[in-house]
Amino acid sequence: MPIEMVADYACVCGEGPLWHPDEKRLYWTDIETGRIFWFDPKTGRHEQCYQGPRVGGFTLQEDGKLLLLRDKGNIVTFKDGRVIDTIVDSLPPAETGRFNDEIADPQGRGFAGTIVPGGQGRLYRIDTDGSVHTLLTEQGCPNGMAFSKDQRSFYYTNTPDLTVWQFDYDKATGQTTNKRAFIHADKKDGYPDGMTIDADDHFWSARWDGSCVIRYSPQGEEVSRIELPTLKVSSITFGGDDYTDIYLTTAGGGDKAKNGQTAGALYRVTGHSFRGRPEYRSRVGL
């Protein structure tokens, strides 16, 4: 499979790749430097479009804006290079930390984690009215999330324990129950980070310090992997008109000698038989 480096902003923690089908662009963030970028595959152009408080994750809103989850539990909407509305000023449990990763559910809610010193991060559900509900506490590094194709399971990564967890998911209420381990990673393959689920209901897990992304069957068995020439592979998504382009974010751009000469770059993988599916859109505050 051809693996192409399409943009290198030497991201310290490149994360959150998200395809915007209305704009036909790929957005991603460098969390630690407070930057967001976009890439237009038709023209090959890319540029930075945001500089500000750190953005740990974002979703695409139903109206086409981005919902940014930032430092100290702050949630805002963003469009055309500027912040539009504030949804949540701050979350007291996150005032010494920041959000890390987010996903929208089929009903337009947001699911997001926070990183707080001392392993006191949390997993939250953000309802469409802007109310915030705690789902899990004492989380070390909440990370990649996904929903199964039948919308009956929710998957969530807690990176330090090397585990991707599976929950029963109630679409009507947003409740998650019956937590159990879906994948327990081998440390030699790196730490599980961002994730997505493709059109065949197969699960993709990016591996921090593992130089790869691994594809698993719905039963949790490895079926293939893609190797990258950089150490810290942080997240994955599908994009393009038919969702057959794989985009991978990487980190470690602050030390390319250690992490690889293209550490912190955005990669695209083509020439394969895999197909993704559109991410759900959030409706928070709409």
Side-chain angles (χ1 to χ4, degrees):
M1 291 179 285
I3 300 174
E4 174 190 7
M5 191 273 288
V6 296
D8 187 2
Y9 287 92
C11 291
V12 176
C13 188
E15 264 284 7
L18 179 66
W19 178 252
H20 195 313
D22 304 346
E23 300 180 4
K24 300 186 184 304
R25 290 175 172 176
L26 190 284
Y27 283 86
W28 76 104
T29 181
D30 183 12
I31 297 176
E32 292 305 323
T33 64
R35 299 181 292 170
I36 297 176
F37 315 94
W38 57 256
F39 168 67
D40 181 343
K42 183 176 181 179
T43 65
R45 286 187 57 218
H46 51 82
E47 65 179 53
Q48 180 179 333
C49 60
Y50 168 93
Q51 179 74 66
R54 294 177 299 176
V55 177
F58 47 84
T59 57
L60 176 61
Q61 289 269 82
E62 191 175 61
D63 62 4
K65 298 184 183 74
L66 296 180
L67 184 73
L68 308 187
L69 277 72
R70 309 197 294 181
D71 273 335
K72 302 180 180 180
N74 176 242
I75 304 175
V76 300
T77 58
F78 178 83
K79 179 74 172 177
D80 297 329
R82 63 188 183 92
V83 170
I84 308 299
D85 296 304
T86 297
I87 307 298
V88 176
D89 285 321
S90 66
L91 291 175
E95 286 183 347
T96 59
R98 62 166 173 81
F99 278 110
N100 193 66
D101 223 321
E102 180 194 15
I103 194 171
D105 83 349
Q107 300 297 93
R109 309 175 188 94
F111 283 65
T114 56
I115 294 177
V116 178
Q120 295 301 308
R122 298 188 179 193
L123 179 66
Y124 292 98
R125 188 186 73 239
I126 306 158
D127 287 348
T128 55
D129 62 2
S131 59
V132 181
H133 308 271
T134 300
L135 303 180
L136 296 173
T137 60
E138 297 183 356
Q139 301 298 291
C141 183
N143 234 312
M145 291 167 274
F147 293 91
S148 61
K149 191 174 181 178
D150 65 7
Q151 302 180 356
R152 297 176 62 183
S153 290
F154 169 66
Y155 298 90
Y156 158 72
T157 304
N158 188 28
T159 296
D161 62 18
L162 294 167
T163 303
V164 178
W165 300 95
Q166 182 178 3
F167 298 77
D168 293 341
Y169 164 71
D170 186 329
K171 181 173 70 171
T173 64
Q175 294 295 316
T176 54
T177 56
N178 191 23
K179 177 184 176 183
R180 66 270 192 196
F182 174 62
I183 295 168
H184 187 73
D186 190 325
K187 193 174 180 179
K188 69 178 177 59
D189 291 326
Y191 291 88
D193 201 329
M195 73 168 78
T196 194
I197 291 181
D198 64 24
D200 293 324
D201 219 26
H202 281 56
F203 173 95
W204 296 76
S205 174
R207 293 303 170 89
W208 185 276
D209 286 344
S211 301
C212 68
V213 58
I214 301 176
R215 185 178 190 241
Y216 294 90
S217 71
Q219 292 74 42
E221 300 170 347
E222 179 178 343
V223 292
S224 59
R225 65 173 63 194
I226 299 172
E227 304 279 352
L228 270 72
T230 184
L231 189 61
K232 301 181 187 302
V233 184
S234 55
S235 196
I236 176 173
T237 197
F238 286 82
D241 291 339
D242 54 4
Y243 288 89
T244 56
D245 292 341
I246 295 174
Y247 288 97
L248 296 158
T249 51
T250 65
D255 189 351
K256 287 177 176 282
K258 175 183 177 182
N259 297 306
Q261 289 307 303
T262 54
L266 173 72
Y267 288 86
R268 177 173 57 189
V269 184
T270 56
H272 53 77
S273 61
F274 309 120
R275 184 184 299 272
R277 50 192 176 96
E279 295 288 344
Y280 298 117
R281 297 195 184 209
S282 52
R283 295 189 294 107
V284 176
L286 297 180

